[in-house]
Amino acid sequence: MIRVLVADDQALLRGSLRLLVDAEPGLVAVGEAADGTEAVRLTAETRPDVVLMDVRMPGLDGIGATRLICAPPQTGSHGGPRVLILTMFDLDEYVYGALRAGASGFLLKDAPPAELLAAIRVVAAGEALIAPAVTRRLIAEFARRPGPARRDSAGLDGVTDRERDVLELVARGLTNTEIARRLFVGLSTVKTHVSHLLTKFGARDRAQLVIVAYETGLVTPGIADPDRRAPDAGPRPPGRAVS
């Protein structure tokens, strides 16, 4: 059973999200928060697997709440709740800060209910970025902006060449299956490399690995995938949630 906490300052939306979660087999809503302070408190009390977090809330906003919820040592490298940011705007300025705060994914509030429910499951598993087209734009903008704790290429010391290959493809939004095909290796091998990367960088999930790839310069915003098909080779498959 995946435990979900809903944090939004709009009572009607908050209640609707709770009803949606409770109606889905395998999910249960464990609480509602009207602001960031309440979200942090209820997270500590109810220990949800996923927090659906609005960005703009009175008092402590969603970014501040996400930072507190995701901060070590409370969560550890791989444990603790995942935060799924819900926003009305696909380029909301506040969401850039949420990446640094530790958010695991993003979803627009006008997404279909089925997409939201699927997003909760994927984020709970720690395996994906949600709404890839949105998330890639957000991360690209994040990488362009000056900010604290930016790493350089030395941050990749101790990472093997094959792990770098996997990290780059994770950052470009490829699934484990797609990475295996690209690198001509088995799916289990890719999963092992991803697990090693998570451990080496103390990352909580793939979203954090994407940030590492941009911060270290392994992936440069605006530079296309070097292995992208030529125009006459047909379109690439559309982006989707990572597994």
Side-chain angles (χ1 to χ4, degrees):
M1 185 70 70
I2 298 174
R3 298 164 57 82
V4 181
L5 175 67
V6 179
D8 196 291
D9 63 339
Q10 299 182 36
L12 181 60
L13 179 58
R14 197 168 63 241
S16 298
L17 288 171
R18 178 164 194 162
L19 289 173
L20 179 65
V21 168
D22 280 336
E24 176 71 6
L27 305 184
V28 60
V30 296
E32 300 177 24
D35 56 42
T37 299
E38 190 174 18
V40 174
R41 178 179 62 80
L42 288 177
T43 296
E45 292 178 1
T46 64
R47 303 182 67 82
D49 299 299
V50 176
V51 180
L52 297 181
M53 184 74 74
D54 186 22
V55 176
R56 297 176 176 176
M57 293 186 290
L60 182 66
D61 64 14
I63 297 174
T66 297
R67 183 176 297 110
L68 292 174
I69 289 170
C70 295
Q74 291 88 342
T75 62
S77 296
H78 304 289
R82 314 285 182 181
V83 175
L84 175 59
I85 296 292
L86 298 179
T87 177
M88 289 295 296
F89 310 102
D90 62 356
L91 289 177
D92 191 331
E93 293 258 342
Y94 293 99
V95 179
Y96 306 136
L99 275 171
R100 292 191 177 98
S104 294
F106 301 89
L107 198 66
L108 298 182
K109 286 185 176 180
D110 61 0
E115 186 175 341
L116 172 61
L117 294 171
I120 292 172
R121 294 183 185 280
V122 178
V123 167
E127 295 179 350
L129 295 173
I130 306 304
V134 173
T135 306
R136 288 170 192 161
R137 290 203 301 272
L138 291 168
I139 293 175
E141 180 63 20
F142 158 82
R144 289 188 182 98
R145 295 179 173 214
R150 289 186 60 85
R151 317 177 197 207
D152 56 31
S153 59
L156 294 175
D157 290 348
V159 176
T160 68
D161 289 343
R162 181 56 87 190
E163 286 170 349
R164 289 189 185 214
D165 293 339
V166 171
L167 179 59
E168 178 179 356
L169 295 176
V170 166
R172 296 191 185 283
L174 274 68
T175 67
N176 283 345
T177 300
E178 290 168 339
I179 293 172
R181 290 172 181 166
R182 178 73 67 88
L183 299 180
F184 302 101
V185 298
L187 181 59
S188 62
T189 299
V190 174
K191 291 181 177 179
T192 298
H193 286 314
V194 171
S195 178
H196 288 168
L197 288 166
L198 290 169
T199 300
K200 288 182 177 182
F201 291 109
R204 303 177 70 241
D205 49 38
R206 295 173 77 106
Q208 304 305 304
L209 290 182
V210 175
I211 294 173
V212 169
Y214 277 100
E215 285 186 331
T216 57
L218 182 64
V219 175
T220 302
I223 302 300
D225 184 341
D227 292 326
R228 185 177 295 276
R229 293 183 180 183
D232 60 356
R236 290 175 59 87
R240 57 185 182 277
V242 184
S243 61

